[in-house]
Amino acid sequence: MEVETTPGAKERKFEVSFTKKHIVKAFNISSLPKSNILTLSNLDLLSGRFPVTYFYFYQNPYANNSLTITDKLKSSLAITLEYYYPFAGRIVQNPYTSEPQIICDNSGALIMEAEANIPLKMLDFYNLNESLEGKLVSINPDFPLQIQVTYYTCGGISITFTFDHALGDACAFGKFLLSWSQIAQNKPMPCTPNHKRNLFARNPPTYHPSLDQNFVKCTMEEIINIPTPKVLLKRLYYIHASSIDWLQSLASVGGKKCTKIEAFSAYVWKIMVKAIDKSHVMCKMGWLVDGRERICGGEKNSMSNYIGNVLSVGFGEARVDELRHGSIPNIAAKVHEAISKVTNEAHFRDLIDWIESHRPGLMLSRDVLGQGGPALVLSSGRRFPVAELDFGFGSPVLGTVCSTVEKIGVAYMNQRPSATGDGSWTVSAILWPEFASALESDPIFQPMTSRHLHLF
């Protein structure tokens, strides 16, 4: 499928030159806690040490005063880090347990400034392999939080935020970014972050035996060297609101309304079986689930501001021929059943206890490590801030997520609401080539272009 490009886009190779580097520390160090070592919780150990990048694009931003955009970001970040002090720390290995720990010593966060040689509308928003790595994202392992501000010839900018997963999950990062943007606009903090990491195991720890089949203890070396036989393609898609509504209607039968994520999952799972080796009889799909609302024992808001990782992943498995010939409503029912198994307090309590029984070390899903055959993991970011991320120079035209990881044992999709607020979605993906080809031939998955972002 030929991807739409702006006229002239192929005539100039996209290049980025780095111009400045800044280390930003918390402004008021007297407000920081006396104890400077933050021990990770059991669920933190399940998320590995993957870098996670969120990138936002702004068309012709402007500053409300004489400060430059970078200066505004630096000054507001320094205040934000007073509240999110672990983000300005260092992640080191505990010499006795070999587990990561956060040294909250206010070493600082890294901000890089860069200049692109093209206008924003000429950027290849679809092929993230070409646009991101080494250009809009460059990883420095010394900083668990890194920001890159890239200026384009048209006056537009992009801001990429890269977090070490040990700092937290999408919910935690969303709280951080929203707090930062509110501070940049001289507005009150939207929440008081909770850094206690107090997700403790029961005594004695007990868990369902199925967790032994779903999760495994691993080393950082095993995570880095996950077997990936094929090149992974990183892509960005636009999905129109009408397509999402149609899928939900298609999957909802017999008076039972299916959620949009369940309907979308069923549709993608059915496409996926077209792109796997014919030797495989079974096929898996997984969903990342936030446990904050499940683990707090009925107190709905007791963990809403918890900064850390509270994630699990639930997998469903089905026969390839069953998915190929099955109806969308029937597949959506399988999706609902699989997700329901992990969206409860009992699962998260068991998971915390399972990790306790296998410490010290890192843990990961067997499927993410590539030990479970062909699989796709879907993450929904419907509550993640997109249009709200205004640092004082307007709302973004695009906000989404990707990762610089080169090896992962599953295909991966992440859904975000469009910055326009019109109900459409942005879907970033890490795929094997056959899967990418199958999506490109499907009318619902539109390769992201400047036209979708109204950049002309």
Side-chain angles (χ1 to χ4, degrees), residues 112-131:
M112 300 289 294
E113 287 188 78
E115 294 180 356
N117 66 332
I118 60 171
L120 199 54
K121 66 181 180 180
M122 288 176 60
L123 188 68
D124 187 345
F125 291 97
Y126 171 58
N127 185 353
L128 300 184
N129 293 80
E130 291 296 323
S131 302

Side-chain angles (χ1 to χ4, degrees), residues 360-371:
L362 298 173
M363 325 288 166
L364 210 60
S365 159
R366 288 183 183 274
D367 293 284
V368 174
L369 272 175
Q371 298 179 3

Side-chain angles (χ1 to χ4, degrees), residues 101-264:
Q101 60 185 11
I102 304 175
I103 308 299
C104 303
D105 60 357
N106 200 27
S107 292
L110 178 65
I111 294 183
M112 300 289 294
E113 287 188 78
E115 294 180 356
N117 66 332
I118 60 171
L120 199 54
K121 66 181 180 180
M122 288 176 60
L123 188 68
D124 187 345
F125 291 97
Y126 171 58
N127 185 353
L128 300 184
N129 293 80
E130 291 296 323
S131 302
L132 280 183
E133 296 172 38
K135 296 177 181 176
L136 301 186
V137 181
S138 55
I139 302 297
N140 185 324
D142 295 331
F143 295 89
L145 170 60
Q146 301 167 65
I147 301 100
Q148 181 176 323
V149 184
T150 306
Y151 295 85
Y152 297 80
T153 59
C154 60
I157 68 168
S158 62
I159 310 178
T160 50
F161 310 88
T162 300
F163 302 88
D164 189 302
H165 221 319
L167 291 176
D169 54 21
C171 181
F173 301 149
K175 296 281 186 186
F176 170 80
L177 291 174
L178 189 58
S179 296
W180 183 2
S181 67
Q182 293 289 92
I183 288 172
Q185 298 178 73
N186 296 314
K187 294 181 179 179
M189 280 273 292
C191 69
T192 301
N194 171 12
H195 298 292
K196 292 181 180 179
R197 308 266 174 141
N198 53 350
L199 296 176
F200 302 118
R202 294 168 291 198
N203 187 18
T206 59
Y207 58 87
H208 194 278
S210 63
L211 294 182
D212 287 322
Q213 281 73 55
N214 297 334
F215 298 94
V216 64
K217 183 175 178 176
C218 59
T219 65
M220 195 64 206
E221 288 71 27
E222 287 175 308
I223 293 174
I224 294 172
N225 296 307
I226 290 175
T228 306
K230 297 177 180 178
V231 174
L232 293 176
L233 304 180
K234 297 174 183 180
R235 299 290 184 254
L236 190 62
Y237 299 96
Y238 171 87
I239 302 181
H240 195 273
S242 61
S243 297
I244 302 162
D245 292 339
W246 174 75
L247 285 177
Q248 186 177 30
S249 175
L250 182 65
S252 302
V253 295
K256 185 176 181 180
K257 190 172 184 180
C258 191
T259 68
K260 291 180 179 179
I261 283 295
E262 289 171 347
F264 178 74

Side-chain angles (χ1 to χ4, degrees), residues 292-305:
R292 284 170 176 78
E293 294 182 3
R294 283 97 186 179
I295 209 171
C296 56
E299 300 176 34
K300 292 186 177 179
N301 297 317
S302 64
M303 286 195 66
S304 59
N305 297 329

Side-chain angles (χ1 to χ4, degrees), residues 40-46 199-201 352-353 355-356 359:
L40 301 188
S41 76
N42 285 11
L43 291 181
D44 290 320
L45 300 176
L46 184 67
L199 296 176
F200 302 118
I352 291 170
D353 286 7
I355 296 169
E356 184 71 18
R359 292 183 72 169

Side-chain angles (χ1 to χ4, degrees), residues 393-405:
F393 41 76
S395 295
V397 295
L398 172 65
T400 189
V401 61
C402 195
S403 178
T404 56
V405 296

